Amino acid sequence: MLHSDCKAKAGYYGPDPAGANTAEAYAAAPCAVGKYKETTGAEVCKDCPDNSGTGTATGSTDNTVCVANMGFSGTNGGTPTACA
């Protein structure tokens, strides 16, 4: 496997290593709290929908980890609405 074949896995982001000549030149990082990334590659992590988040979880790989914030309700991964 060539270093240039390495890509940030789901839940991690980082630059596409094209042109990198050492392993140290490529360092993927986990998606931050409140973000997720479902695919492998150089894409950026996406924000959870408004009024939702991932709690303290980092490196999330699917939008269903986005749960409604306190005072809101809704389906995991969807946009929550305010409680009555």
Side-chain angles (χ1 to χ4, degrees):
M1 176 184 230
L2 299 173
H3 178 68
S4 59
D5 293 333
C6 297
K7 304 286 183 211
K9 65 183 182 177
Y12 288 76
Y13 70 96
D16 188 338
N21 57 7
T22 65
E24 293 75 27
Y26 182 72
C31 293
V33 168
K35 295 180 177 279
Y36 67 96
K37 184 175 144 241
E38 299 172 320
T39 59
T40 296
E43 297 84 12
V44 297
C45 300
K46 297 177 184 176
D47 291 327
C48 283
D50 289 343
N51 304 313
S52 70
T54 61
T56 60
T58 61
S60 299
T61 61
D62 189 85
N63 73 338
T64 58
V65 300
C66 300
V67 297
N69 292 339
M70 188 177 291
F72 293 83
S73 66
T75 305
N76 290 359
T79 302
T81 56
C83 296

